[in-house]
Amino acid sequence: MPRVSLTLSYDFVFIISFPYPQSAPFLPRRVATVNHNHLHTNDSDKMNDEQAIYDYLLNLVQSVEGDQVLEAVGGLFLSGQGGSQGQISTHLEKVIRVKNNTEDFNYFFNRCCYILINYWQLSPPTQRFIPQLVNMVEKAVANISPGGNTKGNIRQLVKNFTLSEQFVRLKRLATVVTAKFETKSSSVGTLIHRYPYLYDYCLMGDDSSREHRQTIHRIKAQNERKFEINLSQYVTYRVRMARTNKAGLILPDKELIKPVKNPTLLSDQDLNSSLKHFVGAVENGQSYQSLSKSFRNHVAYTQSFGTFKDELYEYIRGSLQDKYKQGSFDKKLFDLFQNAYPECNQQKPTEFLMMRTSSQLLNFLVVEGSKNPDHYVFIDLISNIGVKKTIGVLLKIVLFCSKVKPYLEKRFSILFNHYESVAREGVPWLVKTLENMQVAFSIHFGRVDLSSLNRSNLST
């Protein structure tokens, strides 16, 4: 029986089971008109003005059709005529007097948007209102100059909001939601829906509200599972085709196998190669999973942090070609470990020290941060050992120390943001890297079972 997550209040999320398809979850009965004076709780007089707005929006989105919600929200926040909407306008005027600076208003208005989005996202038929809301907000204040007087001026505050990082994340979410309707992508930014491992850092921030986080976590889980299912079905199809080819079956028998589309932007040949690489043996007859397990078991008995750093250095070098081990990269890698907490060299390696060292290693291998987005080492790695093996090096780190996986995701989010407006054709190495990371994460951290690959010979 499918389960639907339905937000009924601000403090609780209930999971309700329905005997209906998941694509058509329960929706509350809708009324025909909007009463702005009474679409809030009976106890609203006891609440503060900000909470009254939140409750109004929640009851609004649960009670009327999406286009009526957009009309009401546009009239309240965007038209400059909010005073015509009764008691709720009075609450809003009081909120604006208190939150007349951009930072406070941005948090308030972002939460207002996510109260609506959180509900709309529950059902595919209402998801189309999410990009409509984003477009409506942006267009309504397009002609307003930034930096004007915000005191009592809600349209100026909304204009400033559209220039904020919160709105950038909101637009990315709209791209994720509308991706299923688009046939062609142009910029790197339009590919965001393909990579759920970027969502926590590209679609959320430290200031994200509860409603915001609920929505992103739900979408992330859905898209992760969808990709895993699609990848599993594709592998099953390729394995069956490989077996029929090996058995030399005649054409009509092969036609009984229904083709399954490649779920990535990689070519079939590249995807088959990546699947074999991330599942099969890569070093000394061992897979990435077994390599990391062996290393983790070994360092459990390491007596000093200095020795651990030497062993981690060799663990990383195991994935490099011999000629690359002799170059400047190897010296930089060696120096990185030598300079990592030398005062702790004689101590027993703690989990904290191993995590900090692994985090510094990811900084070095991928990118340090958004303020310093240089990634020459990463590009150099890709140029010399290839995308698959570069992802493999990163995979060895997070499989050994799983607590730094979010840190690796953040590194990739920084790269994604850096190239967001660039045409994807201009950075094919980045798209190929993002796709390979998605495949690797699904295999090693998802629920997809690709063990059949070890017994089959996919054509590459």
Side-chain angles (χ1 to χ4, degrees):
M1 183 177 293
R3 288 150 60 89
V4 177
S5 177
L6 179 60
T7 303
L8 299 179
S9 74
Y10 295 102
D11 299 313
F12 302 98
V13 176
F14 295 92
I15 305 297
I16 304 175
S17 296
F18 296 103
Y20 303 112
Q22 198 165 7
S23 60
F26 170 78
L27 292 175
R29 182 180 178 183
R30 298 187 176 275
V31 298
T33 59
V34 182
N35 186 325
H36 301 286
N37 287 320
H38 301 291
L39 264 175
H40 49 84
T41 63
N42 293 332
D43 296 328
S44 62
D45 289 341
K46 300 177 183 179
M47 300 178 182
N48 62 38
D49 297 298
E50 187 175 344
Q51 189 64 49
I53 299 291
Y54 296 149
D55 288 343
Y56 163 76
L57 292 173
L58 180 63
N59 285 309
L60 177 70
V61 76
Q62 291 179 338
S63 303
V64 302
E65 298 292 344
D67 52 0
Q68 291 177 280
V69 173
L70 292 174
E71 182 179 356
V73 169
L76 184 64
F77 291 99
L78 306 175
S79 69
Q81 300 176 352
S84 63
Q85 297 198 20
Q87 181 63 35
I88 198 63
S89 298
T90 303
H91 288 301
L92 182 59
E93 289 170 2
K94 292 179 180 178
V95 169
I96 300 307
R97 281 200 293 269
V98 174
K99 298 183 178 295
N100 60 6
N101 68 77
T102 296
E103 184 177 350
D104 286 347
F105 179 81
N106 285 355
Y107 177 85
F108 162 72
F109 190 63
N110 192 58
R111 187 175 180 187
C112 288
C113 291
Y114 271 95
I115 289 171
L116 308 178
I117 291 170
N118 199 29
Y119 184 82
W120 282 334
Q121 198 277 325
L122 289 173
S123 173
T126 58
Q127 288 173 4
R128 62 189 176 91
F129 295 114
I130 297 173
Q132 289 182 29
L133 172 66
V134 174
N135 291 336
M136 180 183 75
V137 170
E138 188 168 34
K139 289 180 180 178
V141 294
N143 295 327
I144 297 178
S145 300
N149 183 17
T150 60
K151 188 173 182 180
N153 188 346
I154 189 169
R155 282 169 55 79
Q156 185 66 61
L157 287 165
V158 172
K159 175 64 178 184
N160 293 349
F161 172 77
T162 63
L163 304 175
S164 69
E165 184 61 30
Q166 288 103 319
F167 191 67
V168 170
R169 293 193 288 261
L170 203 58
K171 291 177 71 173
R172 289 174 185 155
L173 174 62
T175 300
V176 170
V177 172
T178 59
K180 64 184 115 175
F181 306 113
E182 296 179 3
T183 57
K184 207 166 189 181
S185 299
S186 54
S187 68
V188 170
T190 60
L191 300 177
I192 180 67
H193 65 282
R194 304 189 62 85
Y195 314 118
Y197 61 90
L198 300 180
Y199 290 4
D200 284 356
Y201 299 101
C202 288
L203 302 184
M204 291 193 298
D206 294 338
D207 58 349
S208 295
S209 65
R210 180 168 55 254
E211 294 81 9
H212 186 162
R213 294 180 184 278
Q214 287 172 353
T215 298
I216 302 306
H217 290 156
R218 188 185 302 117
I219 295 174
K220 180 180 180 180
Q222 290 172 350
N223 287 356
E224 283 177 339
R225 187 58 183 154
K226 180 180 177 181
F227 180 81
E228 289 169 8
I229 292 172
N230 291 342
L231 184 63
S232 179
Q233 291 175 343
Y234 173 79
V235 169
T236 300
Y237 161 68
R238 297 296 300 189
V239 167
R240 292 182 65 191
M241 287 298 296
R243 289 172 179 170
T244 58
N245 288 336
K246 186 175 181 180
L249 297 181
I250 58 177
L251 186 60
D253 293 316
K254 292 181 182 179
E255 289 177 347
L256 295 176
I257 302 175
K258 185 178 179 180
V260 176
K261 184 180 178 182
N262 178 341
T264 74
L265 296 178
L266 302 172
S267 66
D268 286 352
Q269 181 177 350
D270 284 346
L271 176 55
N272 295 342
S273 177
S274 295
L275 288 167
K276 291 175 66 177
H277 183 77
F278 295 127
V279 173
V282 287
E283 292 177 33
N284 303 318
Q286 291 184 287
S287 67
Y288 285 118
Q289 195 71 252
S290 58
L291 281 168
S292 63
K293 184 177 180 180
S294 296
F295 182 69
R296 188 165 55 249
N297 291 338
H298 175 73
V299 299
Y301 298 97
T302 300
Q303 294 302 309
S304 71
F305 178 61
T307 302
F308 162 75
K309 291 191 294 181
D310 293 340
E311 293 169 341
L312 182 58
Y313 168 68
E314 293 298 336
Y315 177 63
I316 297 301
R317 290 179 85 242
S319 297
L320 307 179
Q321 299 170 356
D322 288 340
K323 62 179 182 179
Y324 198 57
K325 292 178 183 179
Q326 309 303 321
S328 61
F329 171 82
D330 188 69
K331 184 180 186 306
K332 292 176 182 176
L333 183 66
F334 179 80
D335 290 343
L336 174 76
F337 287 118
Q338 289 297 305
N339 297 326
Y341 310 105
E343 68 279 8
C344 301
N345 281 349
Q346 303 307 314
Q347 299 179 17
K348 189 170 179 62
T350 63
E351 183 180 37
F352 173 78
L353 282 172
M354 289 189 285
M355 283 180 58
R356 291 297 299 166
T357 305
S358 298
S359 298
Q360 287 190 8
L361 182 56
L362 292 175
N363 271 0
F364 168 71
L365 293 174
V366 186
V367 62
E368 183 173 337
S370 55
K371 294 181 179 178
N372 182 22
D374 292 341
H375 45 283
Y376 301 118
V377 172
F378 190 59
I379 293 177
D380 188 54
L381 266 176
I382 291 172
S383 300
N384 281 276
I385 68 174
V387 170
K388 292 195 303 290
K389 288 187 176 181
T390 298
I391 296 300
V393 171
L394 304 178
L395 194 60
K396 287 171 74 173
I397 299 169
V398 296
L399 286 174
F400 152 65
C401 185
S402 60
K403 289 188 176 180
V404 298
K405 179 174 177 282
Y407 198 81
L408 176 58
E409 294 170 348
K410 188 171 184 178
R411 302 304 98 192
F412 270 72
S413 299
I414 292 169
L415 283 181
F416 184 88
N417 294 348
H418 184 70
Y419 287 101
E420 187 170 12
S421 61
V422 177
R424 56 183 263 199
E425 293 80 6
V427 282
W429 63 268
L430 177 62
V431 176
K432 196 171 183 179
T433 300
L434 292 168
E435 292 289 332
N436 271 274
M437 182 58 81
Q438 176 68 18
V439 172
F441 275 167
S442 296
I443 291 172
H444 291 281
F445 295 96
R447 291 175 289 177
V448 60
D449 180 12
L450 302 182
S451 57
S452 60
L453 278 175
N454 291 323
R455 303 186 297 273
S456 302
N457 183 27
L458 300 187
S459 58
T460 57

